[in-house]
Amino acid sequence: MAEPLRLLMLCMGNICRSPMAEGALRARLHGAGLAGDVEVDSAGTGGWHAGEPPDSRAIATAAAHGVDIGMLRARQLGPADFGRFDWILCADRDNLAQMRKPMQGRAKPVLLREWAACAHPLEVPDPYAGGSREFEHAWSLVDEAAARVVERLRAVRA
């Protein structure tokens, strides 16, 4: 059996966008019968929230779509992630710019929505300073990306 594809979702603090992206992708992969083919995780560029669950608004937004992310815990991106993952899928250009620094490993940093072949916008705006509308918008963008990733994987396996 081939080694699973390893994808790391990345945002700034790992409490809003990246855990929602991780949850959306896990749910989509499970629904498509591809969960065993892909390893999914998430991290933040900063460590301010390390060990904390996702923001309560992110948990509520994901739950409204039938996805439980309450068990996830924030962590900061580390050097080992560059050797462990194939792709680091960044929520926005600021996160991506931080990944352009020289790192050792095979991981390739790219915008999540660009890698998933989504139409514009290619960035997922940070909903942290907003309310339910901003969290719902971020969810719609990461969930669309998750659906496109599943389509991409199906096409590769066809």
Side-chain angles (χ1 to χ4, degrees), residues 34-115:
L34 296 171
D37 295 343
V38 183
E39 179 184 328
V40 182
D41 196 1
S42 62
T45 57
W48 317 280
H49 300 288
E52 296 177 15
D55 185 286
S56 61
R57 298 165 295 174
I59 293 171
T61 301
H65 294 275
V67 178
D68 180 10
I69 61 169
M71 81 302 280
L72 300 178
R73 294 296 175 263
R75 69 179 188 86
Q76 185 174 11
L77 179 74
D81 290 321
F82 288 86
R84 179 176 167 212
F85 291 95
D86 300 304
W87 294 93
I88 298 176
L89 304 176
C90 303
D92 64 32
R93 283 182 170 76
D94 289 338
N95 305 137
L96 181 60
Q98 292 185 28
M99 299 304 94
R100 294 293 187 210
K101 298 173 186 170
M103 295 286 179
Q104 296 285 25
R106 67 180 180 199
K108 297 170 216 66
V110 66
L111 289 173
L112 164 63
R113 289 182 51 82
E114 181 176 41
W115 190 81

